[in-house]
Amino acid sequence: MELDPVTEAFYAFAEALASTLGVERGEVERLIVKPPREEYGDYGFPLMRYARARGVEPREAVERVSETLRERGIDWASIELAGGFANLKVDAARAAGRLFKLLEKGWIPGPPRVEEPQVIVVEHTSANPIHPLHMGHARNSALGDALSRLLAARGHRVNRRFYINDAGLQAAYAVLGFKILGLDPLEAAESAGVKPDELVGWVYASTYTAVEAEAAKRSGAPREKLEELALHLARLEEAEPVTGALSRILDYMASSEDPEAEAAKILREVEFRVEPTASLARRVAEAALKGIRETLERLGVSFDAWDWETDLLWSGRVARILEEARRSRFYTRHKGAEALDIPRIVRELVEPDPEARASIKLPRGFEVPPLILTRSDGTTLYTTRDLAYTLYKYEVTGADRVINVIGAEQRLPQLQLRLALLGLGYRREALNLIHYDYEMVNVPGRRMSSRRGIIVAVDEILDEVKARAVEEVRARNPGAPREWIEDVAERIAVGALRFALLRTSAPRPITFDPEKALDLKENSGPYLQYTYARTVGILSKHGPIDYGSADPRECAEPPRRGLMIEALRLPVVAARAADSLAPEDLAVFLLGLADRFNSWYQKESVIHDPNPASRECKAALVELTKRSLEAGLTLLGIPLTPRM
RNA sequence: GGGCCCGUAGCUCAGCCAGGAUAGAGCGCCGGCCUUCGGAGCCGGAGGUCCCGGGUUCAAAUCCCGGCGGGCCCGCCA
């Protein structure tokens, strides 16, 4: 990929510093910052930190770096020493000349490709196929998809996978419900006129709550507990998609010998593929998945593969890893159950291995508990199956790295998973497995509990934001066709949601206030979409840019220069966001770029400028901004619209 | 009880990992632009004990130790 002059200068600067100081290039690249004030330069490196330690005179280092740049033919950038920093300063006029040629050729900004591309699996979303996607999943999808896009743009071969957890206890409750009701999930959803994932979600919550209520009644639970459950059941009955469904489930539980054992029985039958339960389980998961896929499609999130947990069981892969575990020297019994001795793995394999210690962050003063492999009835646990799944992901893709986008609440099992892999001799797989964890999404005033059927659905939020966007778009485009308004409003809703979920770094919890998401103001996805639409509008009024008459020197004027340099930071920002798995860095950068463009545009007229030398130069800057925003937003999975 | 994560302006968040250049944005608030190359915009202003206390350092929002507050986890759930 061809580099713009600013990015080319950045990498040459980094390389020159690295060789001059004898520091690894990656380290230098990481430490280069945008100076706090524009006068200092366009990129700065804290030289004094190294100059002293390496015994290199700062002045001499700057001299050598400048020399290297000249040798490489980069005559549009210079280095200055100031405040202990080596600052790279781009000559805007010369850089603009080179930039115009690129723009004319149709060049699109983007992160430079890495020299050694990897095969990277990104497993994300992987929602239990028993209810619609909720806001937590939306964050997972937004992160997983943005990471995938960034890594792919960086030149890696990315494989996006959705893991269908259809063999767990939660899924068993949904299956149990459908078995009691004698309904085919998809047919029932269709005839009830509800989205299939909603129907499955209702059946799951009702069955789960009914079991709990019956068990509570029999065990003589306190009155408050019974009342609370009765309240939940009343609410579920009100939302009943199939008439009489709840009372049928309740009656069944009332006459069951042991309600709590019912789901366990289903679980067993699914795991060991006992018909007809196994087939019903598939149909339940497929129905839920149909709804989930629709939501994902709305969000613009796609996958390369959908992996069934039951396939891992039924193909014998889980049994195989279980056998390996049993033969392992770390095999043990924990409270009577089959387990892997994680504390011993830590002592024998992690502590003496510096690389493993660095890769696997162990909590201090806390012993990671043994990993239980099977229940006493012989069925496996989630992490046991995930062991098989992780190896499967490596095996079918030849992956160098596997990234699991999974909520922070699963840190402990994900840590156990990596340690277990290490114990079973899969060191490479363990050390290259990344748990990309993120905190929850809180919605004010709404407590979520999918077990009670109380969820804040992605569809619901999207519809809410879209309804508001429809009004806004209609008001601004009187007489526009209805379908066009709908389409634009949908893009705005998706953009608003995805941006809100990406701009905060993953380890911080998000409070998602639908009221504020509806407020399509600055610092939002729609603000970026609006700025993009603005560039498109200006350019279409201006017509084709005549690069021949544009004077590059006109781009050296302070406000124009700043905009140009800023827009040309995109490649480096995107590369860093990809390498450090931090899409929020790109999101924050795009806001700054939009601010800068809007601010500049307020001051200078583009199409009314009578002087072609400056007019075409300014039009080129609008074109550059448009392409940078387009590239950046696309990397984040935020849809664009030329008009809104 | 223990572990992990978070704590920066009234609110939402950058900066922290890899210590250094006057701590930054946006929202909200106050005052302007109101002759729209797209006002979902622009300009200006007020607003900060960087949770607290120690320590390391020439230099700490950033590193270390001890607290405080919030969230999550410590299940034969996931």
Side-chain angles (χ1 to χ4, degrees):
Chain A
M1 174 183 291
E2 207 159 356
L3 295 182
D4 64 84
V6 173
T7 306
E8 192 180 341
F10 169 88
Y11 283 107
F13 179 48
E15 223 173 291
L17 281 165
S19 64
T20 302
L21 300 170
V23 183
E24 202 207 324
R25 205 173 79 195
E27 190 178 333
V28 173
E29 281 181 25
R30 274 202 312 274
L31 290 172
I32 295 178
V33 295
K34 176 179 164 181
R37 306 182 69 165
E38 229 165 297
E39 309 92 85
Y40 296 158
D42 302 310
Y43 282 111
F45 178 80
L47 194 59
M48 65 290 208
R49 177 187 311 194
Y50 289 95
R52 188 174 300 169
R54 309 266 156 177
V56 183
E57 198 53 42
R59 237 160 256 295
E60 200 191 316
V62 166
E63 207 32 65
R64 270 195 260 166
V65 170
S66 304
E67 180 60 31
T68 309
L69 254 56
R70 276 196 297 277
E71 277 167 17
R72 292 195 43 173
I74 295 173
D75 59 359
W76 61 88
S78 56
I79 318 289
E80 280 167 21
L81 184 66
F85 277 77
N87 292 324
L88 177 80
K89 200 159 195 171
V90 172
D91 178 330
R94 290 188 187 195
R98 299 180 71 90
L99 171 67
F100 291 171
K101 290 199 185 77
L102 286 173
L103 288 173
E104 199 166 9
K105 280 199 301 193
W107 167 85
I108 291 168
R113 302 192 154 236
V114 291
E115 280 152 32
E116 289 168 23
Q118 293 187 324
V119 175
I120 302 175
V121 168
V122 179
E123 183 216 314
H124 70 90
T125 309
S126 299
N128 275 332
I130 48 166
H131 47 54
L133 293 183
H134 58 62
M135 289 302 286
H137 299 123
R139 189 175 193 183
N140 191 316
S141 295
L143 283 169
D145 193 56
L147 286 173
S148 300
R149 288 166 188 255
L150 282 165
L151 291 168
R154 193 77 165 110
H156 297 294
R157 225 182 76 210
V158 177
N159 187 263
R160 313 162 194 221
R161 308 188 82 92
F162 186 114
Y163 185 39
I164 306 162
N165 304 135
D166 61 332
L169 196 55
Q170 263 69 20
Y173 276 100
V175 177
L176 173 61
F178 279 100
K179 192 180 165 194
I180 294 166
L181 296 171
L183 291 173
D184 180 79
L186 220 44
E187 282 171 18
E190 219 161 290
S191 62
V194 294
K195 225 172 147 239
D197 48 342
E198 278 176 40
L199 174 70
V200 176
W202 183 89
V203 171
Y204 162 69
S206 299
T207 310
Y208 188 90
T209 309
V211 167
E212 213 180 323
E214 187 61 34
K217 203 190 294 172
R218 292 187 198 185
S219 68
R223 211 173 115 192
E224 304 83 62
K225 177 78 183 166
L226 295 173
E227 278 171 1
E228 189 207 318
L229 287 164
L231 226 59
H232 282 300
L233 287 169
R235 198 182 33 74
L236 283 161
E237 186 160 33
E238 235 170 86
E240 197 170 66
V242 179
T243 317
L246 186 68
S247 54
R248 297 231 297 283
I249 295 170
L250 288 170
D251 290 347
Y252 181 91
M253 293 308 163
S255 61
S256 166
E257 249 175 66
D258 183 356
E260 285 176 304
E262 298 278 350
K265 181 166 173 268
I266 300 282
L267 184 72
R268 226 160 34 237
E269 291 177 351
V270 170
E271 177 140 356
F272 300 114
R273 203 174 190 175
V274 177
E275 296 297 358
T277 305
S279 297
L280 177 62
R282 268 293 160 115
R283 288 203 303 282
V284 171
E286 262 162 6
L289 228 43
K290 187 165 185 279
I292 288 171
R293 280 183 211 248
E294 278 172 31
T295 307
L296 288 171
E297 208 168 302
R298 261 188 102 174
L299 288 171
V301 173
S302 62
F303 288 89
D304 301 304
W306 300 74
D307 298 316
W308 291 82
E309 196 175 19
T310 42
D311 280 346
L312 293 169
L313 285 165
W314 300 347
S315 67
R317 277 184 177 269
V318 178
R320 236 174 295 150
I321 195 75
L322 205 48
E323 273 316 304
E324 280 183 47
R326 284 177 183 138
R327 285 196 306 269
S328 157
R329 65 190 163 107
F330 297 108
Y331 180 75
T332 185
R333 291 260 165 189
H334 183 71
K335 296 178 186 168
E338 293 189 284
L340 281 175
D341 192 344
I342 301 290
R344 228 182 98 204
I345 294 172
V346 169
R347 282 195 304 275
E348 293 181 21
L349 299 181
V350 183
E351 279 164 8
D353 180 346
E355 212 183 324
R357 269 205 321 266
S359 161
I360 300 177
K361 233 178 90 188
L362 290 167
R364 289 179 300 182
F366 170 71
E367 185 161 90
V368 182
L371 175 65
I372 311 270
L373 295 163
T374 57
R375 297 187 182 91
S376 50
D377 69 354
T379 57
T380 52
L381 281 121
Y382 174 81
T383 314
T384 313
R385 300 187 297 267
D386 207 7
L387 220 41
Y389 182 44
T390 305
L391 295 175
Y392 175 80
K393 284 185 281 192
Y394 276 105
E395 200 179 308
V396 295
T397 62
D400 299 295
R401 234 193 311 171
V402 170
I403 299 172
N404 288 345
V405 184
I406 299 177
E409 71 278 5
Q410 287 189 51
R411 270 179 190 144
L412 187 55
Q414 284 292 310
L415 178 61
Q416 286 177 310
L417 172 67
R418 300 178 74 199
L419 291 168
L421 284 168
L422 199 63
L424 296 179
Y426 298 100
R427 186 173 178 278
R428 181 184 74 83
E429 288 82 352
L431 267 44
N432 290 291
L433 179 63
I434 296 163
H435 175 204
Y436 192 89
D437 55 343
Y438 60 92
E439 276 295 343
M440 357 198 82
V441 180
N442 301 302
V443 179
R446 296 192 57 173
R447 234 187 136 66
M448 281 217 323
S449 168
S450 53
R451 290 175 183 192
R452 304 276 179 246
I454 304 167
I455 69 167
V456 183
V458 177
D459 289 320
E460 184 192 336
I461 297 291
L462 234 32
D463 288 341
E464 222 175 312
V465 180
K466 183 180 176 181
R468 175 71 174 274
V470 163
E471 280 180 42
E472 191 79 29
V473 175
R474 189 186 291 134
R476 287 160 191 279
N477 298 274
R482 194 179 160 70
E483 305 81 65
W484 181 84
I485 292 173
E486 287 279 322
D487 175 60
V488 171
E490 176 79 10
R491 286 166 195 267
I492 291 171
V494 171
L497 180 62
R498 290 187 69 149
F499 188 82
L501 296 171
L502 285 175
R503 68 169 184 148
T504 301
S505 61
R508 302 176 69 130
I510 291 181
T511 299
F512 187 89
D513 190 340
E515 289 295 314
K516 282 187 183 168
L518 292 173
D519 193 9
L520 309 177
K521 279 280 171 59
E522 217 173 316
N523 227 346
S524 70
Y527 170 67
L528 294 174
Q529 291 170 315
Y530 169 77
T531 305
Y532 170 78
R534 215 175 193 188
T535 62
V536 173
I538 294 161
L539 290 166
S540 80
K541 280 210 176 118
H542 175 276
I545 298 167
D546 177 9
Y547 288 101
S549 51
D551 184 348
R553 281 171 302 184
E554 291 286 344
C555 283
E557 297 299 312
R560 298 174 203 162
R561 178 187 193 283
L563 176 62
M564 178 179 79
I565 302 286
E566 193 63 18
L568 292 178
R569 284 184 205 279
L570 178 106
V572 170
V573 171
R576 286 174 161 179
D579 297 349
S580 57
L581 306 179
E584 68 274 15
D585 291 352
L586 178 56
V588 169
F589 163 78
L590 291 173
L591 286 175
L593 177 59
D595 283 346
R596 205 176 252 281
F597 173 78
N598 283 318
S599 163
W600 165 74
Y601 152 91
Q602 198 74 20
K603 293 190 204 98
E604 297 212 294
S605 179
V606 178
I607 69 173
H608 294 155
D609 184 342
N611 175 10
S614 56
R615 184 184 63 231
E616 298 308 305
C617 165
K618 288 188 271 186
L621 289 181
V622 179
E623 178 68 34
L624 170 66
T625 306
K626 181 196 151 210
R627 290 191 201 176
S628 282
L629 285 173
E630 183 169 8
L633 288 169
T634 304
L635 283 170
L636 296 179
I638 292 166
L640 296 156
T641 173
R643 258 183 68 197
M644 62 190 270

